Amino acid sequence: MSAFAAAFQNLNPVFDRELRQRSRSGRSVILLSLLLTALTGILYVAHLAVTQESRNQFNGGQEMVTNTAGAVMFESVLFVELALLLLIIPGISSGAISGERDRQTLIPLQVTLLGRFGIFMGKVGASSSFVLLLIIASAPLLAIPYLLGGISLTRIMLGIVTTLLTGITYATLGVSCSAFFRRTQTATLMSYLIVFLAIFGSLVIWVVINIVRSAQGDFSPAPSWPMLINPFVGVADAAGDFTNDFSSFPGPFSGLKQGFFGDNWDGRIASNQPNWLYSLAVQITFTGAWVVLGLRKLRLPQKEID
Amino acid sequence: MSLPPQPAAPIEVLDSGTGLSIASPVSFEALQPGVEAVVSARHLTKVYGPLTALHDFTIDIPRGSIYGIIGPNGAGKSTAFSILATLLQPTAGAALVCGFDPTSNPKAVRKRMGYMPDVMGVYERLTVAEYLQFHAAAYRVPRSEWASLVPGLLELVDLDVKANSLVDRLSRGMKQRLSLARAMVHDPELLILDEPASGLDPRARIEFRQLLVALQEMGKTILISSHILAELQQMCSDIAVIEAGVLLASGSPDSIIHQLGNGRSVKVSFDDGTTETFSVTDTADQASLLRRLVNDDERTVVEFTELTTDLEGLFLQITQGIVQ
């Protein structure tokens, strides 16, 4: 065993075992290949879109890209990557602990000296490692738009880091659901329900607030706080931009950022608040509550055998 | 119900091996003077709503013994085991396992106790050796010891040739032996084995029994439950019979048979083809019965046989098949 592998095993045996088992399964490789293929496709489509846009602007002239082309491509790829992560992560993480229960391997693990934190963190680490793997594997795709210009390295890095943290947050949430709910199906269902509510529930609340305010004659921008729980809006604030370029359509994240965090009527004036940081804080706090609930279920001795 | 005497307040010390905060061991007053108990339970009770799964369970398990707990399904065996194995809190009563309270100091107990549940789950895509290494790491066994520990354990449970086989490809008997090896990976002084022989074929059962006897000879204390009563009678130095959460009898198999069987019973066949069984307390009682039957004018005794009481007979005699 290499020193690297030994260090992993010393750090957390559950984490080490999960990675070992996963590396022997072809599933991760297939999933990763499919994801990267999809992201490459999105990058190509985004490139076609921005070049077509430039043709239209210059009346069918020479093919060229506008100064926001790189940003649009980057945001498109990152947007789809985040969407795919939120689609995949609950499926991967929500069986982490309930799956051990199903296989009758949890009790032998619980009577070791690992403790509930050790077991839980090992599972979170294993689920998060897939998020990290995907982000690292897709980094070259995200770097291509940088060559086209129109986007800063800082924005790219911030977008990648917030996507990574969002992914880890939802992986932790999935593991918590897995610890809290006895059955894997229930844990998976709840994980997807939470993701759905965070994305669309927050949007519905925001729209309702807007309608009520409009009915009251208030047409100023609605408060963006209901959207802070929304993973897309959080990443949008980090990866998007308040563009003043009327000649080009914004990327998906810039559109969201302008829509929810713009200060004037068309969102072209920036809010200087680090909303992505607030958004992460809200999501992590919400997940933290689930972590507490999940860890309570793992505490032994219990009053009743779960 | 009166609460049991509580052990003296534990003293917090730091274990040099694991860095865990543990307390120094304490003990209850022994039920039998002079017996050093590895497990002591006093008035353990577990109530689930209207159901009392375990009621006033009091035992001492002597060091170095193989202690069998028998009882029908739902008798409370697994509940008792779960409390002792730090999985479940009792509603009332107290227990000491290797001198530590499994409820308030579970880590100190886990360090000294190996637990084998009735069903062994397996991990996919993990070899037998890796499975044991994983649990050795989980028990914080120093890595430097693994090179000798894992082959040694596999040899003990006769799985050394399967070291590189995948765990999920093993037969049930092999999985049970591997599960036992897992429970011993941190060299515990006590093994709690819940129905370890269930589902094994006769040969695997015999091998498993031999393995447990070998472990006893190595100084391990073994607490075991089983449905195979004859098996327990052969290897257990002590036995407890439990039904509907209540401890009916405990002690060595011979003493229980003597104590509860009231000595012996005899089967008598008569010339009219009938057969009757009589309980007798001792030889004099047996002779008295024979004289009375011989003098009976209505029937002639054609056969008079003393029945040997085994654990199965005793079990049927003292339990009523109560299901909670």
Side-chain angles (χ1 to χ4, degrees):
Chain A
M1 184 182 289
S2 69
F4 189 65
F8 262 137
Q9 201 161 36
N10 285 340
L11 185 71
N12 190 306
V14 174
F15 181 49
D16 169 77
R17 194 208 68 219
E18 292 273 335
L19 292 193
R20 195 182 294 255
Q21 286 179 275
R22 193 174 292 169
S23 68
R24 289 173 187 170
S25 148
R27 207 172 58 177
S28 294
V29 176
I30 293 168
L31 200 55
L32 191 64
S33 303
L34 288 174
L35 284 171
L36 290 178
T37 306
L39 293 181
T40 308
I42 291 297
L43 186 69
Y44 180 68
V45 169
H47 182 260
L48 285 182
V50 292
T51 49
Q52 184 62 44
E53 171 75 3
S54 69
R55 273 204 200 98
N56 294 340
Q57 282 180 31
F58 296 102
N59 300 320
Q62 207 174 9
E63 184 176 296
M64 59 181 293
V65 290
T66 63
N67 61 347
T68 59
V72 172
M73 287 168 68
F74 166 75
E75 288 180 32
S76 301
V77 173
L78 195 65
F79 187 90
V80 173
E81 182 166 13
L82 180 62
L84 291 174
L85 276 177
L86 292 172
L87 194 67
I88 291 166
I89 288 168
I92 289 176
S93 58
S94 60
I97 290 172
S98 54
E100 295 261 1
R101 276 197 201 101
D102 293 344
R103 286 192 304 270
Q104 314 264 12
T105 50
L106 185 60
I107 284 178
L109 197 56
Q110 285 180 297
V111 295
T112 67
L113 300 178
L114 272 180
R116 53 187 169 144
F117 289 104
I119 297 169
F120 188 85
M121 291 315 294
K123 293 290 185 182
V124 168
S127 296
S128 301
S129 68
F130 184 77
V131 179
L132 185 64
L133 179 67
L134 180 65
I135 298 283
I136 290 173
S138 64
L141 288 176
L142 294 170
I144 290 173
Y146 180 67
L147 300 175
L148 298 175
I151 185 164
S152 70
L153 195 59
T154 309
R155 213 172 119 199
I156 289 178
M157 293 307 293
L158 208 54
I160 289 174
V161 168
T162 47
T163 303
L164 177 66
L165 291 176
T166 303
I168 290 173
T169 301
Y170 280 89
T172 309
L173 187 86
V175 175
S176 303
C177 285
S178 181
F180 186 77
F181 296 104
R182 181 168 167 70
R183 296 180 64 212
T184 302
Q185 293 94 323
T186 314
T188 307
L189 193 69
M190 277 305 295
S191 300
Y192 277 113
L193 186 65
I194 290 168
V195 171
F196 183 84
L197 287 176
I199 296 170
F200 298 104
S202 58
L203 190 63
V204 168
I205 292 170
W206 188 80
V207 168
V208 168
I209 289 173
N210 255 326
I211 291 170
V212 171
R213 284 163 61 95
S214 300
Q216 292 170 343
D218 183 355
F219 296 101
S220 63
S224 53
W225 59 262
M227 299 307 293
L228 292 177
I229 193 83
N230 191 312
F232 283 97
V233 174
V235 176
D237 189 61
D241 194 19
F242 292 104
T243 176
N244 289 312
D245 183 3
F246 283 93
S247 65
S248 174
F249 61 86
F253 283 134
S254 291
L256 286 175
K257 185 170 182 171
Q258 288 170 197
F260 294 113
F261 299 123
D263 275 354
N264 69 344
W265 67 272
D266 63 357
R268 286 174 195 279
I269 295 176
S271 156
N272 290 323
Q273 300 292 320
N275 292 303
W276 62 273
L277 211 55
Y278 300 153
S279 176
L280 274 178
V282 168
Q283 290 176 68
I284 289 169
T285 305
F286 178 72
T287 302
W290 275 99
V291 169
V292 171
L293 291 174
L295 281 173
R296 279 173 66 91
K297 284 279 183 177
L298 288 179
R299 186 170 57 193
L300 288 181
Q302 286 272 3
K303 286 190 175 162
E304 285 188 25
I305 293 274
D306 200 14
Chain B
M1 178 194 297
S2 62
L3 284 173
Q6 294 298 311
I11 306 154
E12 285 291 322
V13 291
L14 202 64
D15 184 81
S16 57
T18 61
L20 294 171
S21 174
I22 60 167
S24 55
V26 291
S27 61
F28 292 132
E29 191 178 329
L31 294 174
Q32 285 182 300
V35 173
E36 187 197 353
V38 173
V39 176
S40 299
R42 297 290 181 269
H43 312 288
L44 276 185
T45 299
K46 184 67 192 177
V47 177
Y48 297 104
L51 174 76
T52 302
L54 196 65
H55 178 68
D56 206 21
F57 185 76
T58 295
I59 54 165
D60 269 351
I61 296 175
R63 182 173 294 282
S65 65
I66 299 183
Y67 199 108
I69 294 194
I70 59 174
N73 288 333
K77 302 185 299 288
S78 290
T79 301
F81 278 28
S82 296
I83 292 170
L84 298 175
T86 74
L87 300 173
L88 195 61
Q89 289 177 20
T91 308
L96 288 176
V97 178
C98 305
F100 297 93
D101 183 345
T103 304
S104 64
N105 206 344
K107 280 207 168 177
V109 172
R110 286 172 200 156
K111 201 181 163 208
R112 294 159 178 83
M113 177 265 312
Y115 176 60
M116 181 177 164
D118 54 347
V119 181
M120 187 215 172
V122 292
Y123 294 111
E124 293 173 345
R125 299 182 292 278
L126 213 60
T127 68
V128 167
E130 285 171 342
Y131 179 79
L132 289 182
Q133 285 171 359
F134 164 63
H135 281 95
Y139 274 108
R140 307 295 185 207
V141 176
R143 177 175 293 275
S144 57
E145 294 177 15
W146 295 5
S148 59
L149 172 75
V150 172
L153 279 174
L154 290 177
E155 193 180 340
L156 181 70
V157 298
D158 201 21
L159 285 175
D160 40 346
V161 293
K162 294 285 182 183
N164 296 315
S165 302
L166 292 175
V167 177
D168 53 351
R169 302 264 170 88
L170 297 180
S171 68
R172 188 178 170 95
M174 288 177 182
K175 282 179 186 169
Q176 291 293 83
R177 279 185 276 150
L178 179 63
S179 184
L180 182 63
R182 176 196 55 73
M184 293 192 300
V185 81
H186 57 307
D187 193 23
E189 54 187 286
L190 169 71
L191 287 166
I192 298 179
L193 314 177
D194 194 0
E195 302 278 357
S198 63
L200 298 186
D201 61 46
R203 171 173 283 278
R205 271 200 197 118
I206 293 166
E207 287 172 353
F208 202 84
R209 193 172 66 218
Q210 289 168 343
L211 181 58
L212 294 186
V213 172
L215 288 172
Q216 185 193 23
E217 288 166 358
M218 290 164 63
K220 306 286 182 201
T221 305
I222 299 167
L223 176 58
I224 181 172
S225 68
S226 176
H227 285 114
I228 318 294
L229 304 182
E231 204 166 70
L232 285 181
Q233 190 173 9
Q234 285 175 39
M235 68 177 162
C236 290
S237 42
D238 293 273
I239 278 172
V241 183
I242 185 172
E243 186 181 40
V246 177
L247 184 68
L248 300 176
S250 65
S252 69
D254 288 344
S255 73
I256 294 181
I257 289 166
H258 185 75
Q259 177 194 331
L260 292 173
N262 272 336
R264 60 195 83 170
S265 57
V266 288
K267 189 172 83 174
V268 184
S269 300
F270 299 94
D271 61 347
D272 60 1
T274 58
T275 301
E276 287 182 36
T277 304
F278 297 88
S279 290
V280 288
T281 53
D282 51 23
T283 309
D285 191 28
Q286 192 172 323
S288 166
L289 172 71
L290 181 59
R291 272 196 301 276
R292 187 159 48 84
L293 292 173
V294 167
N295 292 330
D296 187 345
D297 292 336
E298 293 179 10
R299 293 184 297 179
T300 304
V301 174
V302 294
E303 193 179 346
F304 188 91
T305 315
E306 182 183 331
L307 297 174
T308 52
T309 310
D310 61 3
L311 201 56
E312 277 186 16
L314 179 76
F315 181 75
L316 289 173
Q317 189 183 325
I318 65 175
T319 60
Q320 297 166 41
I322 298 171
V323 178
Q324 291 193 98

Coordinates of all heavy atoms in Angstrom, one line a residue, chain A residues 228-278:
Chain A
L228 N -31.6 33.4 -1.8 CA -30.2 33.0 -1.3 C -30.1 31.5 -1.0 O -29.0 31.0 -1.1 CB -29.9 33.8 0.0 CG -29.7 35.3 -0.1 CD1 -29.5 36.0 1.2 CD2 -28.6 35.6 -1.0
I229 N -31.2 30.9 -0.8 CA -31.2 29.4 -0.6 C -31.0 28.7 -1.9 O -30.7 27.5 -2.0 CB -32.5 28.9 0.1 CG1 -32.4 27.5 0.7 CG2 -33.7 29.0 -0.8 CD1 -31.7 27.4 2.0
N230 N -31.2 29.4 -3.0 CA -31.2 28.8 -4.4 C -29.8 28.6 -4.8 O -29.0 29.6 -4.9 CB -31.9 29.7 -5.4 CG -32.2 29.1 -6.7 OD1 -31.3 28.5 -7.3 ND2 -33.4 29.2 -7.2
P231 N -29.3 27.4 -5.1 CA -27.9 27.1 -5.4 C -27.5 27.8 -6.7 O -26.4 28.2 -6.8 CB -27.9 25.6 -5.6 CG -29.3 25.1 -5.8 CD -30.1 26.1 -5.0
F232 N -28.4 27.9 -7.7 CA -28.1 28.6 -8.9 C -27.8 30.1 -8.7 O -26.9 30.6 -9.3 CB -29.2 28.4 -10.0 CG -29.2 27.0 -10.6 CD1 -30.0 26.0 -10.1 CD2 -28.3 26.7 -11.6 CE1 -30.0 24.7 -10.6 CE2 -28.3 25.4 -12.1 CZ -29.2 24.4 -11.7
V233 N -28.6 30.7 -7.9 CA -28.5 32.1 -7.7 C -27.2 32.4 -7.0 O -26.5 33.4 -7.2 CB -29.8 32.7 -7.0 CG1 -29.6 34.1 -6.6 CG2 -31.0 32.5 -7.9
G234 N -26.9 31.6 -6.0 CA -25.6 31.7 -5.3 C -24.4 31.7 -6.2 O -23.6 32.6 -6.1
V235 N -24.4 30.7 -7.0 CA -23.2 30.6 -8.0 C -23.3 31.7 -9.0 O -22.3 32.2 -9.4 CB -23.3 29.2 -8.7 CG1 -22.1 29.1 -9.7 CG2 -23.1 28.1 -7.6
A236 N -24.5 32.1 -9.4 CA -24.7 33.2 -10.3 C -24.0 34.5 -9.9 O -23.4 35.2 -10.6 CB -26.2 33.5 -10.6
D237 N -24.2 34.8 -8.6 CA -23.6 36.0 -8.0 C -22.0 35.9 -8.1 O -21.4 37.0 -8.3 CB -24.0 36.2 -6.6 CG -23.6 37.6 -6.1 OD1 -24.0 38.6 -6.7 OD2 -22.7 37.6 -5.1
A238 N -21.5 34.7 -8.0 CA -20.0 34.6 -8.0 C -19.5 34.5 -9.5 O -18.5 35.1 -9.8 CB -19.6 33.3 -7.3
A239 N -20.2 33.8 -10.4 CA -19.7 33.6 -11.7 C -20.3 34.6 -12.7 O -19.8 34.7 -13.8 CB -20.1 32.2 -12.1
G240 N -21.4 35.2 -12.4 CA -22.1 36.1 -13.4 C -21.5 37.5 -13.3 O -20.6 37.8 -12.4
D241 N -22.0 38.4 -14.1 CA -21.5 39.8 -14.1 C -22.6 40.7 -14.5 O -23.6 40.3 -15.1 CB -20.4 39.9 -15.2 CG -19.6 41.1 -15.1 OD1 -19.6 41.7 -14.0 OD2 -18.9 41.5 -16.0
F242 N -22.5 42.0 -14.0 CA -23.5 43.0 -14.4 C -22.9 43.6 -15.7 O -22.2 44.6 -15.6 CB -23.6 44.1 -13.3 CG -24.2 43.5 -12.0 CD1 -23.4 43.3 -10.9 CD2 -25.6 43.3 -12.0 CE1 -24.0 42.8 -9.8 CE2 -26.2 42.9 -10.8 CZ -25.4 42.6 -9.7
T243 N -23.3 43.1 -16.8 CA -22.8 43.6 -18.1 C -23.5 44.8 -18.5 O -24.7 45.0 -18.3 CB -22.9 42.5 -19.2 OG1 -22.4 43.0 -20.4 CG2 -24.3 42.0 -19.3
N244 N -22.7 45.7 -19.1 CA -23.3 47.0 -19.7 C -23.3 46.9 -21.2 O -23.5 47.9 -21.9 CB -22.5 48.2 -19.2 CG -22.7 48.4 -17.7 OD1 -23.9 48.5 -17.3 ND2 -21.6 48.6 -17.0
D245 N -22.9 45.7 -21.7 CA -22.8 45.5 -23.1 C -24.2 45.2 -23.7 O -24.7 44.1 -23.6 CB -21.8 44.4 -23.4 CG -21.6 44.2 -24.9 OD1 -22.1 45.0 -25.7 OD2 -20.8 43.3 -25.3
F246 N -24.8 46.2 -24.4 CA -26.1 46.0 -25.0 C -26.0 45.1 -26.3 O -27.0 44.7 -26.8 CB -26.7 47.3 -25.3 CG -27.3 48.0 -24.1 CD1 -26.5 48.9 -23.4 CD2 -28.6 47.7 -23.7 CE1 -27.0 49.6 -22.3 CE2 -29.1 48.4 -22.5 CZ -28.3 49.3 -21.9
S247 N -24.8 44.9 -26.8 CA -24.7 44.3 -28.1 C -24.7 42.7 -28.0 O -24.7 42.1 -28.9 CB -23.3 44.6 -28.7 OG -22.3 44.1 -27.9
S248 N -24.8 42.2 -26.8 CA -24.7 40.8 -26.6 C -25.7 40.3 -25.6 O -26.0 41.0 -24.6 CB -23.3 40.3 -26.3 OG -23.2 39.0 -26.0
F249 N -26.2 39.0 -25.7 CA -27.0 38.5 -24.7 C -26.2 38.0 -23.5 O -25.0 37.5 -23.8 CB -27.9 37.4 -25.2 CG -27.2 36.2 -25.8 CD1 -26.8 35.1 -25.0 CD2 -26.9 36.1 -27.2 CE1 -26.1 34.1 -25.5 CE2 -26.2 35.1 -27.7 CZ -25.8 34.0 -26.9
P250 N -26.6 38.1 -22.3 CA -25.8 37.6 -21.2 C -25.8 36.1 -21.0 O -26.7 35.4 -21.6 CB -26.5 38.3 -20.0 CG -27.9 38.4 -20.4 CD -27.9 38.6 -21.9
G251 N -24.8 35.6 -20.3 CA -24.8 34.2 -20.0 C -25.8 33.9 -19.0 O -26.4 34.8 -18.4
P252 N -26.1 32.6 -18.7 CA -27.2 32.3 -17.8 C -27.0 32.8 -16.4 O -27.9 33.3 -15.7 CB -27.2 30.7 -17.8 CG -25.9 30.3 -18.4 CD -25.5 31.4 -19.3
F253 N -25.8 32.8 -15.9 CA -25.5 33.3 -14.5 C -25.6 34.8 -14.5 O -26.1 35.3 -13.5 CB -24.2 32.8 -14.0 CG -24.2 31.3 -13.6 CD1 -23.2 30.5 -14.0 CD2 -25.2 30.9 -12.8 CE1 -23.2 29.1 -13.6 CE2 -25.2 29.5 -12.4 CZ -24.2 28.7 -12.8
S254 N -25.1 35.5 -15.5 CA -25.2 36.9 -15.5 C -26.6 37.4 -15.6 O -27.0 38.3 -14.9 CB -24.4 37.5 -16.7 OG -23.0 37.3 -16.6
G255 N -27.4 36.6 -16.3 CA -28.9 36.9 -16.4 C -29.5 36.8 -15.0 O -30.3 37.7 -14.6
L256 N -29.2 35.7 -14.3 CA -29.8 35.5 -13.0 C -29.3 36.6 -12.0 O -30.1 37.1 -11.2 CB -29.3 34.1 -12.4 CG -30.0 32.9 -13.0 CD1 -29.4 31.6 -12.5 CD2 -31.5 32.9 -12.7
K257 N -28.0 36.9 -12.1 CA -27.4 37.9 -11.2 C -28.1 39.3 -11.4 O -28.5 40.0 -10.5 CB -25.9 38.0 -11.4 CG -25.2 39.0 -10.5 CD -23.7 38.9 -10.6 CE -23.1 39.8 -9.6 NZ -21.6 39.5 -9.5
Q258 N -28.3 39.6 -12.7 CA -28.9 40.9 -13.0 C -30.4 40.9 -12.5 O -30.9 41.9 -12.0 CB -28.8 41.2 -14.5 CG -27.4 41.6 -15.0 CD -27.3 41.6 -16.5 OE1 -26.2 41.6 -16.9 NE2 -28.4 41.7 -17.2
G259 N -31.0 39.8 -12.7 CA -32.4 39.6 -12.4 C -32.7 39.7 -10.9 O -33.6 40.4 -10.4
F260 N -31.8 39.1 -10.1 CA -32.1 39.0 -8.7 C -31.3 40.0 -7.8 O -31.7 40.3 -6.7 CB -31.8 37.6 -8.2 CG -32.8 36.6 -8.8 CD1 -32.4 35.6 -9.6 CD2 -34.2 36.7 -8.4 CE1 -33.3 34.7 -10.2 CE2 -35.1 35.8 -9.0 CZ -34.6 34.8 -9.9
F261 N -30.1 40.4 -8.3 CA -29.3 41.2 -7.5 C -29.0 42.6 -8.1 O -28.2 43.4 -7.6 CB -27.9 40.6 -7.2 CG -28.1 39.3 -6.4 CD1 -27.6 38.1 -6.9 CD2 -28.7 39.2 -5.2 CE1 -27.7 36.9 -6.3 CE2 -28.9 38.0 -4.5 CZ -28.4 36.9 -5.1
G262 N -29.6 42.9 -9.2 CA -29.5 44.2 -9.9 C -30.2 45.3 -9.0 O -31.3 45.0 -8.5
D263 N -29.6 46.5 -9.0 CA -30.2 47.5 -8.2 C -31.3 48.4 -8.9 O -32.1 49.0 -8.3 CB -29.2 48.4 -7.6 CG -28.6 47.8 -6.3 OD1 -29.1 46.8 -5.9 OD2 -27.6 48.3 -5.8
N264 N -31.1 48.5 -10.2 CA -32.1 49.4 -10.9 C -33.0 48.5 -11.8 O -33.0 47.3 -11.7 CB -31.4 50.4 -11.7 CG -30.6 49.8 -12.9 OD1 -30.4 48.6 -12.9 ND2 -30.3 50.6 -13.9
W265 N -33.9 49.2 -12.6 CA -34.9 48.4 -13.2 C -34.4 47.3 -14.2 O -35.1 46.3 -14.3 CB -35.9 49.4 -14.0 CG -35.2 50.0 -15.1 CD1 -34.5 51.2 -15.1 CD2 -35.2 49.6 -16.5 NE1 -34.0 51.5 -16.4 CE2 -34.4 50.5 -17.2 CE3 -35.8 48.5 -17.2 CZ2 -34.2 50.4 -18.6 CZ3 -35.5 48.4 -18.5 CH2 -34.8 49.3 -19.2
D266 N -33.3 47.5 -14.9 CA -32.9 46.5 -15.8 C -31.7 45.7 -15.2 O -31.0 44.9 -15.9 CB -32.6 47.0 -17.2 CG -31.4 48.0 -17.1 OD1 -31.0 48.3 -16.0 OD2 -31.0 48.5 -18.2
G267 N -31.4 46.0 -14.0 CA -30.3 45.2 -13.3 C -28.9 45.5 -13.8 O -28.0 44.7 -13.6
R268 N -28.7 46.6 -14.3 CA -27.3 46.9 -14.9 C -26.4 47.6 -13.8 O -25.3 47.8 -14.1 CB -27.4 47.7 -16.1 CG -27.9 46.9 -17.3 CD -28.1 47.7 -18.5 NE -28.9 46.9 -19.5 CZ -28.4 46.0 -20.3 NH1 -27.1 45.7 -20.3 NH2 -29.2 45.4 -21.1
I269 N -27.0 47.9 -12.7 CA -26.1 48.5 -11.7 C -25.9 47.4 -10.6 O -26.8 46.8 -10.1 CB -26.8 49.8 -11.1 CG1 -26.9 50.8 -12.2 CG2 -26.0 50.2 -9.9 CD1 -27.6 52.1 -11.7
A270 N -24.6 47.3 -10.4 CA -24.3 46.1 -9.5 C -24.6 46.4 -8.0 O -24.5 47.5 -7.5 CB -22.8 45.9 -9.6
S271 N -25.0 45.3 -7.4 CA -25.1 45.3 -5.9 C -23.7 44.9 -5.4 O -23.2 43.9 -5.9 CB -26.2 44.3 -5.5 OG -25.9 43.9 -4.2
N272 N -23.2 45.7 -4.6 CA -21.8 45.4 -4.1 C -21.7 44.3 -3.0 O -20.7 44.0 -2.5 CB -21.1 46.7 -3.6 CG -20.9 47.6 -4.8 OD1 -20.5 47.2 -5.9 ND2 -21.1 48.9 -4.6
Q273 N -22.9 43.8 -2.7 CA -22.9 42.8 -1.6 C -22.3 41.5 -2.1 O -22.6 41.1 -3.2 CB -24.4 42.6 -1.1 CG -25.1 43.8 -0.6 CD -24.5 44.2 0.7 OE1 -24.1 43.4 1.6 NE2 -24.3 45.5 0.9
P274 N -21.6 40.8 -1.3 CA -21.1 39.5 -1.7 C -22.2 38.5 -1.5 O -22.2 37.6 -0.6 CB -19.9 39.2 -0.8 CG -20.2 40.0 0.5 CD -21.0 41.2 0.0
N275 N -23.2 38.5 -2.4 CA -24.4 37.7 -2.2 C -24.1 36.2 -2.3 O -24.8 35.4 -1.7 CB -25.4 38.0 -3.3 CG -26.0 39.4 -3.0 OD1 -26.5 39.7 -2.0 ND2 -25.8 40.3 -4.0
W276 N -23.0 35.8 -3.1 CA -22.7 34.4 -3.2 C -22.3 33.9 -1.8 O -22.5 32.7 -1.5 CB -21.6 34.2 -4.2 CG -20.3 34.9 -3.9 CD1 -20.0 36.2 -4.2 CD2 -19.2 34.4 -3.2 NE1 -18.7 36.5 -3.8 CE2 -18.2 35.4 -3.1 CE3 -18.9 33.1 -2.6 CZ2 -17.0 35.2 -2.5 CZ3 -17.7 33.0 -2.0 CH2 -16.7 34.0 -1.9
L277 N -21.6 34.8 -1.0 CA -21.2 34.4 0.3 C -22.4 34.2 1.2 O -22.5 33.2 2.0 CB -20.2 35.4 0.9 CG -19.1 35.0 1.8 CD1 -18.2 33.9 1.2 CD2 -18.3 36.2 2.2
Y278 N -23.3 35.1 1.2 CA -24.5 35.0 2.0 C -25.3 33.7 1.6 O -25.8 33.0 2.4 CB -25.4 36.2 1.8 CG -24.8 37.5 2.2 CD1 -25.2 38.7 1.6 CD2 -23.8 37.6 3.1 CE1 -24.7 39.9 1.9 CE2 -23.2 38.8 3.5 CZ -23.7 40.0 2.9 OH -23.1 41.2 3.2

